[in-house]
Amino acid sequence: MQYKAISADGHVNEPPDLWTKNLPDKYKDRGPHVIETPKTKGHAWIMEDQQRPSVMGFSSMYFKSQGKRFDRASLIEQFKQMKNRGVRYEDLFPGSWDPHERVKEIIEDRIDAEVIFNGVGTVWNGIKLMRDKDLALACYKVYNDWMVEFQEAAPERFFCCATLPTTGIEDCMEELERCYDMGLRTVQLEAYPSGSFSDPTPEDEQFWARAVEMDIPVNVHTQFFFPYGDLGSKITAEGVAESKVRAKEKGVDIDAGTFPVILWRMMQSGVFERHPKLRLVGSEVQCGWMPYYLEKFDESVKRNRAEWNLPLLPSEYFDRNVWLVYIEDELGAINRHNIGVNKIMWGPDFPHSSSAWPVDYELGREILERAGSTESEIERIMWKNCADVFNIPYDDPKTISVTA
């Protein structure tokens, strides 16, 4: 197949009956389920041990604009109507959970294929914070079974991530094997493989080694915890601090689970030195910040060589082991050669509010063109890097791709 656009960052919104229908009977009343919020009459997720519902909002858009689906003329009006609560499932694009409808939606967006991640702000904080680890594990398995079904509906278009459990290394390894056997060829981490939300551990070594043997990329989607549910807050500067306080009460350090910190800790602990063929993808982390980050990281290492017992510099581990996914990043496009053209992947985040559906492809090209990208560079960033990293087969391109 010949591609012009592969999104390295697409999402689902999990069906409202996914867990009530598919969990074992003993868990159905305790697992994730959808409620109507009393004030806004929107939908929200709730489950055992969760006190604050995870409302359907920015992570669950686009909602339909007065029934004008697939109408570019209504795009500006859709932006105006965005809201972070009071959204119901019937407001969402059905392709959020129906793979057949999803094909229609991405074709309208001029996207050929997608790497698919979970809903992020829906159920995942609640599942990770469950005290009953057996219940949490069952929730992960139900979701991954559904991901297999979603992918099988259009295997040439959907490359779905298994979301791995945070309930311990044994569960993580067993689910990795199970999902691989079912046909999923990439994984999304919600914690380090051991279940730690803060630091890599020696237990993780078997996971990194097995991922290399399987030849699958490992994804961290922005961070381990998002400000939803019991960690939720208002979308303000004060709300960020409030979310961190709530996380601390749950024993969670939000900053430790952000991608820049995860990357630093994996580098300095020698994960990439011990596993030189490991592929780590920072999904939706943008890329314009990376040259400065690596410059300062390298400088720190050079000044403190006694505390850095690894043979390569951080920038060299990045060049070998790490890839980044951006949505819209003008500065990243301008700095593509300082980052590495072969290190950057494009993903418009559909159907979340960051997407510019149905003009994601046009906007993606426009940003690269404004930055002076060649056609070969555009080809590589908008689909070929993704195909290479995620082992997506394709016909030889019409142009010769360059790496920089």
Side-chain angles (χ1 to χ4, degrees):
M1 184 170 179
Q2 182 68 53
Y3 296 99
K4 69 177 183 303
I6 301 177
S7 168
D9 179 31
H11 290 272
V12 293
N13 286 301
E14 296 81 5
D17 64 349
L18 180 62
W19 285 279
T20 55
K21 181 179 178 181
N22 296 297
L23 277 172
D25 289 342
K26 62 180 179 179
Y27 293 138
K28 285 182 177 178
D29 293 338
R30 301 167 56 199
H33 56 279
V34 170
I35 61 172
E36 181 180 87
T37 55
K39 290 184 178 180
T40 66
K41 303 302 180 183
H43 282 154
W45 285 93
I46 195 77
M47 66 199 74
E48 183 172 283
D49 296 328
Q50 186 176 347
Q51 304 302 313
R52 296 166 56 91
S54 296
V55 298
M56 303 296 284
F58 287 152
S59 71
S60 309
M61 315 291 245
Y62 279 90
F63 60 91
K64 292 173 284 186
S65 177
Q66 300 175 347
K68 296 181 180 179
R69 280 185 73 229
F70 303 154
D71 182 359
R72 283 182 173 81
S74 68
L75 181 63
I76 300 301
E77 186 62 27
Q78 286 176 325
F79 283 134
K80 292 178 181 178
Q81 293 184 30
M82 287 181 185
K83 50 186 178 180
N84 70 334
R85 57 192 65 238
V87 177
R88 301 175 63 87
Y89 261 86
E90 52 264 36
D91 297 324
L92 308 181
F93 279 179
S96 291
W97 63 88
D98 182 332
H100 303 289
E101 292 297 318
R102 181 59 162 255
V103 170
K104 300 176 187 177
E105 291 162 7
I106 66 171
I107 288 174
E108 178 70 9
D109 209 14
R110 297 180 66 187
I111 293 173
D112 301 307
E114 291 181 294
V115 178
I116 300 285
F117 294 87
N118 64 39
V120 178
T122 50
V123 300
W124 298 100
N125 280 3
I127 291 174
K128 284 179 280 190
L129 294 173
M130 280 178 172
R131 287 175 289 186
D132 187 333
K133 300 306 179 186
D134 291 333
L135 170 57
L137 179 59
C139 291
Y140 284 106
K141 289 183 175 181
V142 166
Y143 173 80
N144 289 330
D145 288 344
W146 177 58
M147 275 292 91
V148 172
E149 295 175 7
F150 198 101
Q151 178 173 282
E152 288 178 346
E156 75 285 359
R157 293 192 181 274
F158 301 138
F159 305 92
C160 295
C161 290
T163 298
L164 295 182
T166 58
T167 52
I169 189 63
E170 290 185 9
D171 291 343
C172 185
M173 294 299 296
E174 289 178 7
E175 189 64 0
L176 171 67
E177 297 289 346
R178 190 179 78 93
C179 290
Y180 186 86
D181 290 344
M182 292 191 296
L184 299 182
R185 290 296 181 265
T186 185
V187 297
Q188 177 178 354
L189 292 181
E190 296 286 346
Y192 290 101
S194 67
S196 170
F197 297 120
S198 58
D199 295 282
T201 71
E203 287 183 306
D204 299 331
E205 289 300 301
Q206 58 187 300
F207 174 86
W208 308 128
R210 186 66 179 122
V212 170
E213 290 174 358
M214 289 177 166
D215 192 27
I216 61 172
V218 176
N219 301 271
V220 172
H221 192 279
T222 309
Q223 57 196 69
F224 290 153
F225 282 96
F226 287 81
Y228 294 97
D230 286 343
L231 308 188
S233 63
K234 295 180 180 179
I235 306 175
T236 62
E238 295 79 9
V240 172
E242 184 179 309
S243 179
K244 290 183 178 181
V245 169
R246 288 180 174 157
K248 188 174 181 180
E249 291 171 351
K250 296 284 185 180
V252 172
D253 180 348
I254 288 182
D255 290 337
T258 57
F259 183 75
V261 177
I262 292 167
L263 181 58
W264 173 73
R265 291 184 177 175
M266 289 183 66
M267 283 184 177
Q268 63 88 25
S269 65
V271 171
F272 299 128
E273 177 61 27
R274 293 187 296 275
H275 306 280
K277 294 184 178 180
L278 180 65
R279 303 199 300 280
L280 178 71
V281 178
S283 307
E284 201 181 316
V285 299
Q286 317 309 330
C287 59
W289 57 278
M290 186 55 71
Y292 179 79
Y293 174 91
L294 291 175
E295 177 187 350
K296 291 304 175 184
F297 201 170
D298 280 358
E299 179 185 345
S300 175
V301 166
K302 290 174 182 177
R303 287 176 178 271
N304 299 281
R305 271 293 186 178
E307 299 177 12
W308 183 264
N309 299 315
L310 301 170
L312 301 183
L313 291 170
S315 59
E316 294 173 312
Y317 289 117
F318 172 82
D319 290 342
R320 190 180 69 189
N321 295 96
V322 184
W323 286 260
L324 307 173
V325 181
Y326 76 95
I327 303 172
E328 298 171 15
D329 192 337
E330 299 269 4
L331 186 60
I334 292 169
N335 279 302
R336 64 194 180 280
H337 297 121
N338 293 323
I339 302 164
V341 172
N342 62 326
K343 298 275 94 182
I344 305 170
M345 294 183 279
W346 166 81
D349 198 34
F350 181 76
H352 290 178
S353 60
S354 303
S355 167
W357 186 96
V359 294
D360 282 313
Y361 174 74
E362 289 93 331
L363 181 58
R365 278 196 64 98
E366 181 181 323
I367 288 173
L368 292 170
E369 288 169 353
R370 277 203 300 267
S373 301
T374 66
E375 191 62 34
S376 292
E377 290 173 338
I378 293 172
E379 173 188 79
R380 179 164 286 282
I381 290 170
M382 293 200 70
W383 73 267
K384 195 168 187 292
N385 286 340
C386 185
D388 289 342
V389 171
F390 289 92
N391 296 321
I392 300 171
Y394 57 86
D395 297 331
D396 289 336
K398 296 177 182 179
T399 56
I400 299 174
S401 292
V402 299
T403 59

